[in-house]
């Protein structure tokens, strides 16, 4: 059985990411997943349940669960701030310029 040398062939993901449409959707989904995962990790590291975070933020446990779900995409900055503070964390948002092709002329 032949094996390919590492790095010699593009992976399926690399080939798919060559499509700008696929890449845009992939990056959006990855960002949503990252937000939910970070919220859940922050809460767990603080030793809190969703119900405890909900009580501290004045919302419901189901709302906290939604924010931790990778499928959720309607985040509100104020609510994110409340959840992060309730877990003893700090929220930072970074904005970066895109490629030069997306800049105004």
């Amino acid at each position: 059985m032949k094996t390919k040398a590492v790095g010699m062939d593009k992976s399926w993901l690399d080939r798919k990411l060559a499509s700008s449409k696929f890449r845009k959707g992939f990056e959006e989904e990855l960002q949503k997943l990252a937000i939910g995962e970070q919220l859940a990790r922050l809460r767990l590291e603080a030793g809190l349940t969703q119900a405890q975070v909900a009580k501290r933020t004045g919302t419901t446990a189901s709302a906290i669960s939604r924010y931790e779900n990778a499928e959720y995409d309607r985040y509100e900055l104020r609510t994110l701030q409340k959840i992060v503070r309730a877990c003893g964390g700090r929220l930072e948002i970074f904005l970066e310029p895109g490629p030069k092709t997306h800049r105004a002329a």
Side-chain angles (χ1 to χ4, degrees):
M1 181 169 134
K2 286 186 175 181
T3 58
K4 292 183 180 179
V6 176
M8 295 297 288
D9 190 24
K10 283 189 170 184
S11 72
W12 174 86
L13 182 57
D14 289 332
R15 289 189 305 271
K16 295 298 278 185
L17 288 171
S19 160
S20 61
K21 183 178 179 181
F22 179 88
R23 186 175 52 253
K24 180 181 178 193
F26 179 84
E27 289 172 353
E28 288 173 1
E29 291 302 313
L30 187 61
Q31 187 175 43
K32 288 190 301 188
L33 176 63
I35 292 170
E37 189 274 331
Q38 289 178 67
L39 289 172
R41 185 179 55 222
L42 184 64
R43 176 181 57 77
L44 292 171
E45 287 178 2
L48 299 169
T49 65
Q50 289 177 340
Q52 290 169 319
V53 173
K55 186 174 182 179
R56 291 179 178 197
T57 60
T59 190
T60 63
S62 63
I64 301 303
S65 177
R66 261 193 315 276
Y67 265 67
E68 292 180 2
N69 186 324
E71 298 297 316
Y72 191 70
D73 65 354
R74 301 193 65 175
Y75 297 103
E76 293 183 16
L77 183 57
R78 185 175 305 165
T79 304
L80 281 171
Q81 290 170 325
K82 286 180 182 180
I83 294 170
V84 171
R85 278 192 221 117
C87 296
R90 185 183 78 219
L91 177 66
E92 291 184 7
I93 297 175
F94 297 97
L95 305 177
E96 297 179 10
K100 291 183 180 184
T101 58
H102 295 304
R103 294 185 184 169

